[in-house]
Amino acid sequence: MKIALLSNITIDMLAENLRKKLACEIYTSPGFDTWQQELLSQDSGLYAFKADALVIILHANSYADSWENIASGKNLIDDWLQAVKVFAANSGSVPVFVSSIDVSDTWNSRAIYASQKRLGAYFENYFLEKLYSLENIYVLPLKDILENIARVNYYSSKIWYLGSMPYSLKALSEISDLIARYVCGLHGARKKCLAVDLDNTLWGGVIGEDGVNGIKLANSKEGAIYQDAQRVLKKMQNQGVMLAILSKNNVSDVDAAFSHADMILKREDFVAEFINWQPKSQNIKQLAKVLNIALDAFVFLDDNPAEREQMKAQCPEVSVVDFPSDISKLPDIISKVYDEYFFTLNVTSEDAHKTQMYRAESKRREIFSQASSVNDFLKKLDMKIDVHVMQPSEELRVTQLVNKTNQFNLTSRRYTQDEIHAFANNPDSEIITAHVSDKYGDQGLISVMILEYSGENALINTFLMSCRVMGRQVECEIMSELRKFLIAKKIEKQRNISRIMGEYIKTAKNSPVENFYDTMKFRLVNQDHDQDQDQDQARKFYEIGISDLPETTGLFGRLSE
Amino acid sequence: MKDLGEFFAFVADVMNVKPQELSLETRYGEFPAWDSVMHLKLVMALEEEFDTEIPIEKIPDIKTLQDLYEYTHK
């Protein structure tokens, strides 16, 4: 199974958890917060991956300022959904799971005021309602996990500020369980039938001894445990789980028990009943024959440890539930049984797929009439760029980027600050930096290019960019700025460059830029096959005439000084 | 918690490697399993396991398992 995992936060730890849990192939997008571009561009790695399911984890706090008023919050959500819809329309029947969001509060109590809390709840519901209205898109209830384990246990502010990953280890583990369950739910439930005991399982006490007035079953106190347990079973039955009775009892006693006023379950809620004094393992085999399903489609719930052991020994295919020693946990355990064995998304039928594909096809036109391309998305970001020769004050930041940038780094050469200083002061080399801002804030110095001049040639010794601005055509804009920069040099008769040379050195992490120069229309002139490595194209050399460098993308305004 | 064996077992579990592959000199960035993501995971797991707090500004200073080990008895 192939799962694509997209997010506006760092997702590596979650991807690693899922790989271990599901033993499946996981796609994560290159760069940081590039999920919308991945959805919008059919050239993206996401489309090439051809996932069986797409999971999108959204962290609301990344866009904290957008939640301050109704209009900006709704705009943000509408933009998100637009990207999801475009993917759904382009990818036919690939199921998409989108996380619910937590806007109500943040760990730093930014939104402690009642009005802001209400606004948060409003946005969460607005998002959910919109998601529910979409075909082939499922809500992944992350917010439920938060509620179950409490916010203080859900987030880890330290890792958020250090690594843009907001969740605690506990939350990460629960989230990966949830994703695994939902993704597996696509294939239908793992089990079909839950076989239950009666005495001390559906009610407290033994009907044959305590009588109908003596058993514990009520809407308050201890009897409510059993009533709640029955309510959960009833809901499961409504969801399509088959219930069956396996009980050592007299039928007349059981008849009496089912006449109890507080019984939630009725006899007709059960597909079959085996009420006799035979071993339950024997009965369940009979039951399997009657229902025409295999033994491994059964789950067995019984309070009696001896019965459970006997079942495990005689019918190892049957899943036996660990009955709680603390009876108050019974309703909860049954819910967990549902999650583990019977959860399903009801989407496997071929017909349903066909309908969805048909509907997606008709929706596609609608969506494209709204003209939502990647470029429209990028234009809305209101990006501004400034490219200039490195200032001495930028040396430290440049050195940092040179030494830590892995993904978007063509050559991955590492330099000390002294070496950076030397490049800047050597008349035959130059360092160019790029700064980007968008409507969400200033991204600062995000790209470094080191040029070495030799006669009419300029060699791009180093070109790197922060992963935060990947997928935004910043690199194309920088290339067009390079063209302007070098032409200006020519006009001012500083230096007469006519050819640019580029180089790509493969590393374990820079595959996102493997074809960067090809995309920029550079000509491949030479390939080195590294002797030590068994990899092709370990090193590639390119060149391009200065006038063939790309023109401006038109997506950027200029940062004023 | 001063038992090195337990410490290595803990780290090995988080990194999904064998304890024998680890030593106090094992270094962030050099040991293949210890990349930037693993660095954060180690910090989170250590804080939880040993009920300790590593101040955010100290996290980049952790370069070797020796540095990390210090936090198990603070």
Side-chain angles (χ1 to χ4, degrees), chain B residues 6 9 12 23 27-28 30 37 39 51 53 56 58 61 63-66 73:
Chain B
E6 275 178 52
S23 75
R27 187 169 281 273
Y28 168 46
E30 286 177 10
V37 175
H39 198 62
D51 192 22
E53 279 276 333
I56 187 163
K58 298 283 184 202
D61 297 341
K63 305 280 189 206
T64 63
L65 283 187
Q66 173 74 53
H73 38 91

Side-chain angles (χ1 to χ4, degrees), chain A residues 10 12-13 16-17 20 156-159 161-170 172 406 509, chain B residues 13-16 35-38 40-41 43-48 52-56 59-60:
Chain A
T10 307
D12 309 59
M13 284 191 211
E16 193 200 313
N17 277 4
K20 269 190 219 157
S156 160
S157 53
K158 194 173 291 174
I159 306 304
Y161 292 125
L162 272 178
S164 301
M165 201 292 289
Y167 308 117
S168 68
L169 284 183
K170 165 95 175 143
L172 266 182
N406 294 319
K509 291 190 173 161
Chain B
D13 185 47
V14 176
M15 288 190 178
N16 206 12
D35 61 8
S36 55
V37 175
M38 181 55 71
L40 299 180
K41 198 172 171 186
V43 168
M44 289 167 86
L46 187 108
E47 287 190 339
E48 206 165 283
T52 178
E53 279 276 333
I54 305 181
I56 187 163
I59 294 174

Side-chain angles (χ1 to χ4, degrees), chain A residues 20 43 76 112 198 262 277 317 326 412 449 477 502 555:
Chain A
K20 269 190 219 157
D43 300 328
L76 182 62
I112 51 170
L198 296 179
D262 290 314
W277 301 92
E317 304 93 330
D326 171 2
S412 306
M449 183 186 281
E477 193 64 17
L555 294 169

Side-chain angles (χ1 to χ4, degrees), chain A residues 123-395:
Chain A
F123 289 133
E124 287 168 15
N125 285 326
Y126 177 78
F127 186 52
L128 286 180
E129 289 303 323
K130 291 261 172 175
L131 282 176
Y132 284 130
S133 70
L134 300 173
E135 295 268 342
N136 223 11
I137 290 171
Y138 304 90
V139 174
L140 195 67
L142 247 65
K143 178 88 194 234
D144 290 5
I145 297 179
L146 180 150
E147 283 161 2
N148 288 341
I149 69 176
R151 191 171 269 114
V152 296
N153 302 317
Y154 187 77
Y155 290 122
S156 160
S157 53
K158 194 173 291 174
I159 306 304
W160 170 245
Y161 292 125
L162 272 178
S164 301
M165 201 292 289
Y167 308 117
S168 68
L169 284 183
K170 165 95 175 143
L172 266 182
S173 152
E174 300 252 342
I175 293 168
S176 28
D177 284 350
L178 183 76
I179 295 173
R181 189 148 54 79
Y182 269 63
V183 171
C184 293
L186 285 171
H187 299 311
R190 292 171 58 202
K191 304 284 178 178
K192 293 197 172 81
C193 179
L194 178 62
V196 296
D197 173 45
L198 296 179
D199 287 332
N200 284 316
T201 300
L202 289 199
W203 53 76
V206 177
I207 184 72
E209 289 169 16
D210 302 324
V212 69
N213 295 321
I215 57 173
K216 287 180 205 151
L217 187 64
N219 57 16
S220 65
K221 299 276 181 65
E222 211 186 327
I225 296 170
Y226 298 96
Q227 206 179 37
D228 286 342
Q230 288 198 19
R231 282 198 181 94
V232 181
L233 289 169
K234 178 81 185 169
K235 278 202 187 109
M236 285 168 68
Q237 194 258 342
N238 288 338
Q239 293 289 315
V241 176
M242 293 194 273
L243 300 179
I245 295 173
L246 289 186
S247 173
K248 285 183 175 165
N249 251 315
N250 295 318
V251 176
S252 57
D253 289 330
V254 173
D255 291 344
F258 271 93
S259 69
H260 193 291
D262 290 314
M263 282 291 284
I264 301 288
L265 288 166
K266 305 287 171 236
R267 285 296 259 280
E268 54 271 25
D269 293 329
F270 296 89
V271 293
E273 48 187 57
F274 283 78
I275 302 165
N276 54 41
W277 301 92
Q278 304 295 318
K280 294 194 178 185
S281 56
Q282 205 173 308
N283 282 332
I284 209 167
K285 283 177 188 162
Q286 274 300 117
L287 182 58
K289 270 187 203 147
V290 171
L291 298 175
N292 197 23
I293 54 178
L295 272 180
D296 65 8
F298 284 95
V299 179
F300 178 55
L301 179 72
D302 197 312
D303 67 296
N304 186 335
E307 295 289 359
R308 299 201 297 269
E309 286 314 308
Q310 201 256 348
M311 185 64 80
K312 282 182 196 166
Q314 299 300 315
C315 301
E317 304 93 330
V318 173
S319 297
V320 178
V321 180
D322 283 330
F323 202 85
S325 50
D326 171 2
I327 194 67
S328 66
K329 301 230 160 62
L330 183 61
D332 209 33
I333 294 278
I334 298 175
S335 296
K336 290 209 170 84
V337 165
Y338 175 76
D339 285 348
E340 191 174 347
Y341 297 113
F342 297 103
F343 178 81
T344 173
L345 288 166
N346 300 324
V347 289
T348 42
S349 110
E350 198 58 42
D351 288 340
H353 269 298
K354 276 180 194 153
T355 316
Q356 279 154 1
M357 275 151 73
Y358 174 76
R359 289 196 190 161
E361 196 59 44
S362 64
K363 271 191 176 174
R364 185 173 302 171
R365 263 173 242 126
E366 183 190 319
I367 286 163
F368 284 110
S369 67
Q370 293 170 28
S372 51
S373 68
V374 183
N375 280 359
D376 289 331
F377 165 75
L378 293 175
K379 273 181 194 152
K380 278 198 205 159
L381 282 177
D382 197 16
M383 295 187 290
K384 294 191 171 62
I385 194 167
D386 180 43
V387 179
H388 58 239
V389 174
M390 184 186 78
Q391 309 290 307
S393 61
E394 295 171 342
E395 264 184 27

